[in-house]
Amino acid sequence: MAATSAASVLIFIALWEAVCRAGLVDPIFLPPPSAALGKAAAMLGDGTFWPHILASARRVMIGFLAATAVAIPLGIFLGTSSFARAAFDPILSFLRPLPSMSWIPLSLLWFGITETQKYSIVFMGCFAPAMVYVIEATRNVDPLLVRAAQNLGASRWQVMQEVILPGSLSQILSGFKVILGLAWTCVIAAELVAAREGLGFLIMNGKEFFQTEVVVLGMVLISTTVLITDFFFRLIENWVLRWKQ
């Protein structure tokens, strides 16, 4: 299966290169893969490659970790309290459909063109979906296990620590893996509007100067970085949930 997947990617790239070299597509609209590869080599040589990746990765991780740090305790609280859920669910339902782009004007007014503004975009784009995942994961814990622990004399904190958190952790981590991909969408949106570095800035800058190979390179880098991040997240997930194996 791995060989089939690798072959399909190579065939796709070969067809793309052939179509461009045959002159069927204007390179200003779609450059050949070799042009993007050559641009990547040039950027590696002059040292302008890594700062953009590191800037975007830093913004994603800070915004994502801040969102999950708030969403986990708050989501568990709402998931175990019907009163709190009834009180806060309308607010969460209002925030959840808002795309990250909609927060850009307000964040610019609040924080200006700063790193905090980028972090806030990622935070707001991830917070509501992360809360929903935590609430649903908490509610899906078997109520019989909760009642059994309570009947055995476990305190509320012990039930939370020994039953609810381990029972919901797998679903929470699966949801956060999706949220991490969403965080990259948020940071690219923020960097497209107001940034001096980052993959979003790289793409927008390439578009401004008609350097289509830079635009394609930026898109490839985003996908590659997300795949690498997802790989490491799976390693962390397997380590945290090793007791289930």
Side-chain angles (χ1 to χ4, degrees):
M1 295 300 288
T4 303
S5 300
S8 68
V9 172
L10 292 175
I11 291 171
F12 173 75
I13 293 174
L15 286 174
W16 179 2
E17 183 77 25
V19 167
C20 293
R21 285 185 179 276
L24 299 177
V25 180
D26 191 334
I28 197 67
F29 297 115
L30 183 66
S34 57
L37 193 62
K39 189 65 182 179
M43 292 181 71
L44 272 173
D46 61 19
T48 58
F49 191 80
W50 294 108
H52 294 294
I53 296 177
L54 294 177
S56 293
R58 183 184 68 247
R59 291 162 182 159
V60 164
M61 294 314 299
I62 291 177
F64 171 76
L65 291 176
T68 54
V70 178
I72 289 176
L74 197 55
I76 291 176
F77 174 64
L78 296 184
T80 55
S81 170
S82 56
F83 174 78
R85 195 164 56 251
F88 288 98
D89 195 55
I91 301 173
L92 191 61
S93 299
F94 175 78
L95 292 175
R96 190 176 51 181
L98 293 176
S100 56
M101 291 285 287
S102 66
W103 290 100
I104 292 177
L106 274 181
S107 66
L108 285 171
L109 288 173
W110 291 343
F111 305 111
I113 304 176
T114 62
E115 286 300 295
T116 306
Q117 185 261 343
K118 311 293 183 301
Y119 302 149
S120 69
I121 293 295
V122 178
F123 177 88
M124 293 309 299
C126 296
F127 174 67
M131 279 276 292
V132 172
Y133 274 113
V134 176
I135 292 172
E136 291 302 316
T138 304
R139 295 182 65 187
N140 286 338
V141 175
D142 191 345
L144 289 177
L145 295 177
V146 176
R147 280 199 290 271
Q150 290 170 337
N151 290 336
L152 290 172
S155 65
R156 185 178 178 83
W157 170 248
Q158 287 173 321
V159 171
M160 189 78 69
Q161 187 180 18
E162 303 293 338
V163 179
I164 294 178
L165 191 57
S168 60
L169 193 57
S170 177
Q171 190 174 345
I172 289 174
L173 289 176
S174 296
F176 282 4
K177 195 161 52 184
V178 178
I179 300 296
L180 189 56
L182 178 63
W184 278 97
T185 307
C186 298
V187 79
I188 297 304
E191 291 171 352
L192 284 174
V193 175
R196 297 183 182 88
E197 60 180 358
L199 294 177
F201 167 79
L202 188 71
I203 292 173
M204 184 55 71
N205 200 45
K207 173 253 179 185
E208 293 293 333
F209 292 98
F210 293 97
Q211 295 177 322
T212 323
E213 68 277 9
V214 175
V215 176
V216 173
L217 174 62
M219 295 169 67
V220 172
L221 286 175
I222 291 169
S223 293
T224 305
T225 311
V226 172
L227 289 174
I228 293 173
T229 307
D230 187 68
F231 171 76
F232 283 106
F233 194 94
R234 285 176 188 273
L235 293 180
I236 295 172
E237 184 181 19
N238 291 335
W239 179 75
V240 172
L241 300 176
R242 62 188 183 280
W243 55 274
K244 293 185 69 175
Q245 299 173 359

